[in-house]
Amino acid sequence: MKLAVVGGGSTYTPELIDGFARLRDTLPVSELVLIDPAAERLELVGGLARRIFAKQDHPGTITTTADLDAGVAGADAVLLQLRIGGQAARLQDETWPLECGCVGQETTGAGGLAKALRTVPVVLDIAERVRRASPDAWIIDFTNPVGIVTRALLAAGHKAVGLCNVAIGLQRKFAALLELAPSEIHLDHVGLNHLTWELGVRRGGPDGADLLPGLLAAHGGAVAADLRLPKAVLDRLGVVPSYYLRYFYAHDEVVRELGEKPARAAEVAAMERELLALYADPGLDEKPALLAGRGGAFYSEAAVDLAAALLGDGAGASPIQVVNTRNAGTLPFLPDDAVIEVQARVNGTDRAGRPGPVPLAVPRLDPLYAGLIAHVTAYEELALDAALRGGRERVFRAMLAHPLIGQFDLAEGLTDRLLAHNKEHLAWA
């Protein structure tokens, strides 16, 4: 089995490599190609990756290249983990929205729109090259904003699935609190990427007993603290929102906090420099503890399980996983081609006869959640239109549609700032 990782020079990559090494029975990788134009970073990451494989006696080979077409040729799956513009662009995404009193974040709000505009054209170009070199390969997208990027890939006819680590992170936290194995926990996970709620926490599978009421009664304070939301919010909702919902439920508080501390991008950039220095040590043959602070917890386990289920190889991968895929009637208030984040049977066949994830049935959603999902889905449709066709007016329309913006003057000011800070990445600007 051959896998390719586009963006293989990322400091995240050793987390992924560690998962491939530990879970070789689930995903028997024989060849892994790390692809990245940043030669110096790629050399450091590739060297550590080979040492991790060697330490754990993994028989697979790891190669590195800047040649995308050669790297993806013959691949069974291609993982995308890109950041167009690097941490410098992320720093801008987290900064200029605050000038207008809006949250500065790399996937939510105006900053997330900027990232989508930079990212979608590049990802679609990569996907077309993958299709030419390996027409049967699955594309697994971990590149943010995952929902918009996955929708772009599916709309262009690619075999693509979006992946996020929020669900697996919550599954692991709940399992620890309940003193159960993670495999015993099934989440009733519903929404859009970075806009989800856990409506139930079931033991054993989709039809298992719902442990959520007892979990909140016994551990609601700990769960709320992790989400940085008041426990009273969880008590009143009776569900667990993802931590990204704090940008909606406590927007003004978050804006004040962000204005009083260094941007997360600056912290990550400093951490990346330290990580790369560690990776350069020829004696290092495991992922360093510092990597846990970089984000992406349990990313490797999620990626291994998804790839194994899609490719039908190995043992132990669950056929039911949380992914980003076509709505296809699952949430009846959304268009069929919207991309939702839900539990799905990964190795299924949809109504159009296409192989891949088929969402599990979702009960009728409370308007409290359905309304926000519909609102953000409309924004994502406009954001994708702007990313595909460009133009200031399309960017403005997406800004105006976003529930965290929604005012004419505010949308105008944010549009001006987005374009000013992203000219080098937007050919039409």
Side-chain angles (χ1 to χ4, degrees):
M1 178 188 298
K2 177 180 177 179
L3 299 187
V5 181
V6 181
S10 167
T11 54
Y12 272 134
T13 299
E15 164 69 26
L16 188 62
I17 300 300
D18 177 73
F20 289 156
R22 289 185 293 102
L23 303 171
R24 73 191 73 177
D25 292 336
T26 302
L27 188 69
V29 178
S30 57
E31 182 181 359
L32 178 63
V33 183
L34 306 181
I35 306 167
D36 205 297
E40 185 175 353
R41 290 172 63 107
L42 187 59
E43 181 181 358
L44 295 176
V45 173
L48 174 57
R50 294 186 190 96
R51 295 193 297 273
I52 291 173
F53 263 32
K55 181 180 182 180
Q56 301 197 33
D57 295 321
H58 194 292
T61 62
I62 297 178
T63 59
T64 59
T65 183
D67 187 332
L68 175 69
D69 300 299
V72 302
D76 296 288
V78 178
L79 281 67
L80 305 183
Q81 51 177 36
L82 313 177
R83 184 179 294 280
I84 307 303
Q87 295 299 328
R90 176 179 178 173
L91 179 61
Q92 293 179 355
D93 294 343
E94 294 178 351
T95 303
W96 53 263
L98 295 175
E99 297 171 4
C100 296
C102 291
V103 65
Q105 211 275 333
E106 63 164 341
T107 62
T108 302
L113 176 58
K115 194 171 196 300
L117 296 179
R118 295 192 303 267
T119 303
V120 166
V122 176
V123 166
L124 288 179
D125 176 67
I126 291 170
E128 286 298 330
R129 294 163 70 177
V130 170
R131 179 151 51 190
R132 290 196 297 268
S134 299
D136 293 327
W138 278 100
I139 295 175
I140 298 175
D141 178 61
F142 197 69
T143 296
N144 282 319
V146 167
I148 296 173
V149 172
T150 303
R151 186 168 182 172
L153 287 166
L154 292 173
H158 297 290
K159 290 176 60 177
V161 186
L163 179 64
C164 180
N165 69 326
V166 167
I168 192 172
L170 288 172
Q171 179 203 43
R172 299 304 172 89
K173 288 178 182 177
F174 296 161
L177 291 171
L178 294 167
E179 299 182 347
L180 296 171
S183 60
E184 295 182 83
I185 298 297
H186 173 93
L187 302 179
D188 291 344
H189 180 98
V190 180
L192 311 177
N193 180 241
H194 291 184
L195 194 87
T196 52
W197 295 262
E198 310 309 324
L199 305 184
V201 177
R202 301 189 179 275
R203 184 167 189 169
D207 299 320
D210 187 6
L211 307 178
L212 181 57
L215 173 69
L216 290 178
H219 305 287
V223 174
D226 279 345
L227 301 174
R228 299 189 64 203
L229 286 170
K231 180 177 179 295
V233 173
L234 273 63
D235 291 340
R236 294 177 71 175
L237 295 179
V239 304
V240 178
S242 84
Y243 53 84
Y244 285 92
L245 264 298
R246 186 168 186 261
Y247 297 122
F248 294 83
Y249 292 164
H251 177 271
D252 294 351
E253 179 183 351
V254 172
V255 169
R256 287 193 296 272
E257 291 174 359
L258 293 175
E260 296 170 355
K261 65 179 184 180
R264 171 63 176 166
E267 296 175 354
V268 171
M271 191 179 302
E272 286 195 333
R273 290 191 292 271
E274 190 173 350
L275 284 169
L276 290 171
L278 291 173
Y279 297 170
D281 178 1
L284 183 67
D285 57 6
E286 60 186 12
K287 64 177 183 179
L290 179 63
L291 187 55
R294 175 67 180 83
F298 308 115
Y299 161 39
S300 61
E301 284 89 340
V304 166
D305 283 349
L306 178 54
L310 287 171
L311 299 175
D313 211 337
S318 171
I320 296 176
Q321 300 175 30
V322 173
V323 295
N324 285 260
T325 192
R326 289 183 185 87
N327 176 47
T330 308
L331 300 181
F333 54 88
L334 297 184
D336 281 354
D337 62 350
V339 165
I340 59 175
E341 186 172 292
V342 292
Q343 294 276 8
R345 185 166 295 280
V346 174
N347 56 354
T349 303
D350 69 13
R351 291 179 298 181
R354 295 171 295 214
V358 177
L360 302 187
V362 174
R364 181 182 181 275
L365 287 185
D366 188 306
L368 180 61
Y369 315 123
L372 187 53
I373 290 171
H375 197 160
V376 175
T377 296
Y379 149 75
E380 289 189 346
E381 182 175 342
L382 293 169
L384 180 55
D385 184 48
L388 294 174
R389 298 201 288 163
R392 185 188 188 282
E393 185 63 19
R394 293 189 181 93
V395 176
F396 168 78
R397 283 166 55 82
M399 289 284 193
L400 190 61
H402 199 290
L404 295 182
I405 301 170
Q407 298 179 61
F408 187 89
D409 289 343
L410 197 54
E412 288 278 26
L414 288 166
T415 298
D416 288 340
R417 285 167 172 79
L418 184 153
L419 297 178
H421 285 283
N422 286 276
K423 285 182 178 179
E424 65 179 298
H425 300 293
L426 305 178
W428 51 267

